[in-house]
Amino acid sequence: MNVILQRRGDFLEAFGKDAEAVAKALGTAVTERDLVAMATIPVHVQEGSFVALHAAGITPHIIERDEGLKAAWRRTHADFKGTVDGKRSLMVFRHDGPALVALDDLTPAEIARLYPRDEL
């Protein structure tokens, strides 16, 4: 199984099903951010955590925010993206329904969800 991790400060973050798999493999808690499951790995224990993830059959992939935004834009169908007030924007589905969101305002969880898994 491939999981996406995003660096945020001193942590690597996983969201959704990735978070559940990471937490189960590492024996850590699943928390929540913006109504989405989240698991974190402190950067200072990254090496040992990756060994444990590999042992559990999980391949971690760290993506940078810019890489994730480019992939989200590229992957989104033309009917669900465009330019609004000079900003590239996407239609995304949030907990309260569909929303038109500027690309730069996507949450880490949305980036993880939109990142193309076939490119890992």
Side-chain angles (χ1 to χ4, degrees):
M1 170 183 191
N2 292 315
V3 297
I4 294 174
L5 299 167
Q6 297 175 68
R7 186 178 308 277
R8 187 172 176 114
D10 292 335
F11 294 90
L12 298 172
E13 298 177 335
F15 296 92
K17 291 182 181 179
D18 290 350
E20 293 168 10
V22 167
K24 182 177 179 181
L26 299 178
T28 60
V30 175
T31 59
E32 191 176 279
R33 180 189 296 159
D34 299 325
L35 302 177
V36 177
M38 179 180 82
T40 60
I41 299 172
V43 173
H44 70 276
V45 296
Q46 174 182 335
E47 187 175 325
S49 296
F50 279 20
V51 169
L53 290 173
H54 282 290
I58 298 171
T59 305
H61 298 274
I62 299 174
I63 64 168
E64 298 297 327
R65 182 169 176 79
D66 288 344
E67 174 188 356
L69 292 175
K70 288 176 187 174
W73 181 260
R74 185 179 66 248
R75 181 175 186 248
T76 302
H77 189 278
D79 289 347
F80 297 97
K81 65 182 177 182
T83 303
V84 177
D85 295 330
K87 295 182 180 181
R88 295 189 304 169
S89 301
L90 302 176
M91 178 68 69
V92 296
F93 294 90
R94 292 188 166 167
H95 62 6
D96 55 351
L100 189 60
V101 179
L103 189 65
D104 291 336
D105 293 336
L106 289 177
T107 67
E110 290 166 338
I111 293 170
R113 189 177 72 238
L114 294 169
Y115 196 87
R117 300 299 174 123
D118 58 346
E119 294 182 14
L120 296 176

